[in-house]
Amino acid sequence: PAALWFLEEPSNISTSPGRGVRLSCRVGGAGPPPELGWLLEGAPLELADTDLAQLPLGDHGWVATSQLRLPSVQVADAGRYRCWAQAGGHRL
């Protein structure tokens, strides 16, 4: 059976237009490896600049990390960012 839990979620970040920002999300779980993605105000960020790494932990566990990069923040980028994870029919 799959199980998921957040180990690290994005926090509040203040920045200025034109500066770069990197958000990080880390998920632990058991069962099949996850899919991870990002939402802005609840809408999927389909073409987001992200890195995804998965680290197996023994026979049935893993840790997955996703980093979202915004190389030059604009006013339109403001909002609530959230990471989502899905594995084995479970979604966070």
Side-chain angles (χ1 to χ4, degrees):
L4 295 171
W5 55 89
F6 280 112
L7 300 169
E8 177 185 350
E9 293 184 75
S11 58
N12 291 335
I13 295 176
S14 295
T15 190
S16 301
R19 298 200 52 163
V21 170
R22 187 177 298 234
L23 302 174
S24 184
C25 173
R26 195 162 39 132
V27 178
E35 293 179 56
L36 271 78
W38 290 89
L39 303 170
L40 172 55
E41 299 296 345
L45 293 173
E46 299 292 340
L47 301 175
D49 183 8
T50 62
D51 289 329
L52 175 63
Q54 296 179 352
L55 175 65
L57 301 174
D59 292 335
H60 303 289
W62 44 261
V63 171
T65 302
S66 179
Q67 290 191 344
L68 172 65
R69 287 185 305 278
L70 301 171
S72 179
V73 172
Q74 304 301 314
V75 173
D77 294 321
R80 182 167 185 241
Y81 287 81
R82 190 167 87 67
C83 177
W84 61 263
Q86 181 173 315
H90 297 288
R91 185 168 178 155
L92 293 175

